[in-house]
Amino acid sequence: MDSLILALGWLGIFSPVALGAVGSAIGCSVAGQAACGAMLDVESGYGKFIGLSAMPSSQVIYGIVIMFSLNTIGVSVNSSPGLFGIGLLTGIALLYSAVYQGQAVAAAINASKNKPEIFGLSVAPAAIVEGFAVFAFVFALVLGQQIVA
Amino acid sequence: MAENTYYTLLASLPHINSLFDSKITPISRIQLNRRLSMLNHDDRRMLLSIEELMHWSMLESTIDESHLIQRTARLFESLPSKELKELITWRLDMRTVIAALRRKKSGEQPPTIEQWSFGSRYPYIRRQWGHSTLGLKHSFPWIEEAGTLLQSNHHGELERLSLKIIWDYLNQFGLRNKSNYEAVVLYVLRWNLVARWTTYNAELALEKFNQLTANILVEAGMDTVYKKTSHYHESEVQR
């Protein structure tokens, strides 16, 4: 039984990185595809499309920071339930936020391609999604400090 | 083709602003076909079939009505999505309604054959033949206006009305489909509408009509009539 609890603890520690990486991969892929398509249709301003398409990569960075933070607590029978709960749920939040941010970025690229003057505004929905990922990141760090080793 | 890969194709297509304000298509057909080559073989083949179904100008001219109905039924069964089926059913119903209004105007009786058209409403229309709006006033609110334009021989305005109705429906359909295969189909259908509208040109149509009339009269050995009509048409054009 102890082994299972410890395994769940490790699962919790690595979830933010693994799930964040999956989300970032999907989000950057979607946004990158939209950027490639947009480059076929415009004559200039390619750099901003490619730059924007990298926006969903932040989730995996948050995941790495959370992993190191949780890892410092150490995996034990006492700490594993907390690590599992916080780590897994944060990972899921990062995964979904990256996927949907990728879609928001794809929409922003599509819109600003046709109307370059709205580039700044069109990024706002993707920035709001980023805000939710930051919430999950910050509160995972705060709550993680209360887990007793 | 996985759903995500439609993003590249859709983002590579220029935005279509409006139908009636368009002077040219936002992208040429050659360029459009080049972009559509990103689709896989099955998607391309399905798109071509849908285009043929929605735009008869792409069909061979020798195809007869019963063959067309059978072909439509076959294609409809093979459609991959419920959304596309809904879109095509609506378009075919609209076509059936306009056909019924035209038949009624020329004094035809209700069709005797059961499968006289396609879509989902042709049996109902056959039963409601005597009704001025074919009993479809609520489902197709434009039917009364279309009937009036047809009765008063305002064919140009009827064409404009039908294009507007299709355009509005496609726009509404587009709100539900942003980045999937349906969105690609929708773009091509909208492009076809713009292409159709931008090729309408009254002067060119008159010139073509004059040419055709002249050819027929010359072939029939009625040169004097040809000279008179050409003189008449020239003065009409000048006016």
Side-chain angles (χ1 to χ4, degrees), chain A residues 31 34 38 45 48-49 51-53 55-56 100-130:
Chain A
K48 66 182 178 187
F49 294 140
L52 198 58
S53 67
M55 208 172 166
Y100 283 103
Q101 191 177 48
Q103 293 180 6
V105 168
I109 288 170
N110 218 347
S112 60
K113 174 200 77 170
N114 297 308
K115 232 178 168 184
E117 67 271 22
I118 61 162
F119 180 73
L121 269 180
S122 67
V123 180
I128 293 167
V129 177
E130 181 75 24

Side-chain angles (χ1 to χ4, degrees), chain A:
Chain A
M1 189 64 187
D2 284 357
S3 301
L4 178 67
I5 292 170
L6 292 175
L8 290 177
W10 282 110
L11 183 80
I13 286 181
F14 199 64
S15 286
V17 182
L19 297 178
V22 171
S24 291
I26 296 171
C28 286
S29 162
V30 165
Q33 286 167 52
C36 290
M39 287 191 288
L40 286 174
D41 193 37
V42 294
E43 300 299 327
S44 60
Y46 306 137
K48 66 182 178 187
F49 294 140
I50 293 296
L52 198 58
S53 67
M55 208 172 166
S57 57
S58 57
Q59 278 81 352
V60 71
I61 299 168
Y62 301 151
I64 291 169
V65 175
I66 294 167
M67 178 194 74
F68 281 125
S69 168
L70 295 181
N71 197 35
T72 56
I73 297 163
V75 180
S76 65
V77 174
N78 287 336
S79 65
S80 286
L83 293 173
F84 175 73
I86 292 172
L88 183 68
L89 289 177
T90 310
I92 291 170
L94 294 178
L95 167 72
Y96 276 97
S97 68
V99 170
Y100 283 103
Q101 191 177 48
Q103 293 180 6
V105 168
I109 288 170
N110 218 347
S112 60
K113 174 200 77 170
N114 297 308
K115 232 178 168 184
E117 67 271 22
I118 61 162
F119 180 73
L121 269 180
S122 67
V123 180
I128 293 167
V129 177
E130 181 75 24
F132 298 134
V134 171
F135 286 157
F137 167 63
V138 170
F139 290 106
L141 291 179
V142 171
L143 280 182
Q145 300 308 310
Q146 295 175 24
I147 298 173
V148 180

Side-chain angles (χ1 to χ4, degrees), chain A residues 30 33-34 37 40-41 113-114, chain B residues 4-5 8 11-13 15 35:
Chain A
V30 165
Q33 286 167 52
L40 286 174
D41 193 37
K113 174 200 77 170
N114 297 308
Chain B
N4 282 343
T5 50
T8 310
S12 74
L13 300 170
H15 183 60
R35 303 273 161 90

Side-chain angles (χ1 to χ4, degrees), chain B residues 47-107:
Chain B
L47 179 62
L48 197 66
S49 303
I50 292 170
E51 275 192 275
E52 281 179 1
L53 193 63
M54 302 288 257
H55 302 279
W56 285 350
S57 58
M58 292 182 168
L59 286 172
E60 59 268 36
S61 55
T62 51
I63 192 164
D64 66 359
E65 207 170 87
S66 60
H67 187 220
L68 184 66
I69 292 170
Q70 280 174 11
R71 189 170 166 170
T72 304
R74 228 182 10 249
L75 173 73
F76 191 78
E77 286 309 310
S78 66
L79 282 175
S81 86
K82 198 180 150 195
E83 293 266 308
L84 281 178
K85 281 186 174 173
E86 187 189 318
L87 170 69
I88 288 169
T89 303
W90 179 86
R91 182 68 186 96
L92 296 180
D93 281 343
M94 184 181 171
R95 193 167 275 168
T96 300
V97 166
I98 300 280
L101 290 176
R102 284 190 202 282
R103 283 187 180 203
K104 268 166 67 82
K105 196 209 167 210
S106 61

